[in-house]
Amino acid sequence: MQGLRQPRLEGDEYISVVDELMEALHARWPKAIVQFEDFQFKWAFETLERYRKKICMFNDDIQGTAGVALAGLLGTVRAQGHPLSDFANQKIVVVGAGSAGLGVLKVAYQAAARMAGSEAKPQFFLLDKDRGCIDSAAAPFAKDIGEVESLGLHEGSDLLEVVKKVKPHVLLGLSGVGGVFNEHVCILFLV
């Protein structure tokens, strides 16, 4: 299916259309669950926050992927014979700071904090484009340059360098960029 061959709506005009749609859906089917699927990154978190307390809804990229990933992460800890509380000690590297990657990190952080309390300092690492373009949704997961350097890494370190230095327990690919998980990365991670 093709969309309309015209520029996408932006800003207030875009939000106005989505507001109208959400209000109409809620008025017609007040008990319906509205699923947002493949919303542009720049709108995904904003629309989720905008409607989640008014309308029963969820964003599949943010919350659906996160729920499935967290189940897998916790299942892995259990399969290793460790108590679930060990999840808070896992080193997790996520490649991709889109809505799915950030959703997974957010829910994983919340789970680790519930398990370890306010003292939780999960070792989560997020790899994406350069730091000059950190989105506000990714900012809570950005590491200080000093912390990055203390690990023996530098600005622009690639995944292979990160896997060598961090030695993660978990490596999650949530990016559309091809070739990131090459043979060298996979072998190093599995060793």
Side-chain angles (χ1 to χ4, degrees):
M1 179 189 297
Q2 290 187 354
L4 296 175
R5 295 191 179 269
Q6 61 189 36
R8 289 179 183 243
L9 297 177
E10 294 293 336
D12 292 339
E13 197 175 14
Y14 175 86
I15 288 295
S16 175
V17 169
V18 179
D19 280 347
E20 184 179 339
L21 171 68
M22 295 300 284
E23 289 169 17
L25 289 171
H26 185 65
R28 176 65 178 95
W29 297 287
K31 294 182 181 181
I33 298 172
V34 178
Q35 174 186 334
F36 283 22
E37 180 71 40
D38 294 333
F39 265 53
Q40 287 180 300
F41 177 77
K42 65 183 174 182
W43 295 112
F45 287 94
E46 182 178 335
T47 53
L48 179 61
E49 288 304 315
R50 185 175 185 90
Y51 306 114
R52 72 187 303 169
K53 292 195 167 110
K54 301 175 197 170
I55 297 169
C56 187
M57 57 85 61
F58 73 101
N59 182 300
D60 186 56
D61 294 335
I62 297 171
Q63 297 164 299
T65 302
V68 171
L70 182 62
L73 293 168
L74 295 176
T76 299
V77 171
R78 183 173 283 165
Q80 292 170 343
H82 300 291
L84 285 180
S85 59
D86 276 5
F87 175 70
N89 302 318
Q90 297 283 302
K91 289 187 227 173
I92 299 173
V93 171
V94 174
V95 179
S99 52
L102 292 173
V104 168
L105 277 177
K106 187 174 181 179
V107 78
Y109 186 87
Q110 291 168 345
R114 284 187 190 117
M115 292 174 188
S118 60
E119 299 167 14
K121 292 191 173 63
Q123 298 180 61
F124 298 159
F125 299 85
L126 177 63
L127 273 73
D128 201 67
K129 298 175 263 182
D130 65 305
R131 294 174 65 91
C133 301
I134 296 176
D135 186 87
S136 61
F141 303 106
K143 303 283 186 202
D144 295 328
I145 292 294
E147 185 178 355
V148 170
E149 289 173 350
S150 73
L151 294 167
L153 297 168
H154 57 84
E155 181 65 34
S157 291
D158 65 11
L159 182 57
L160 185 61
E161 292 174 282
V162 171
V163 170
K164 281 180 187 175
K165 300 292 184 175
V166 172
K167 297 179 179 33
H169 299 100
V170 177
L171 187 56
L172 294 173
L174 295 159
S175 170
V177 176
V180 175
F181 291 87
N182 60 41
E183 184 178 354
H184 299 294
V185 169
C186 294
I187 289 172
L188 183 62
F189 176 69
L190 295 172
V191 173

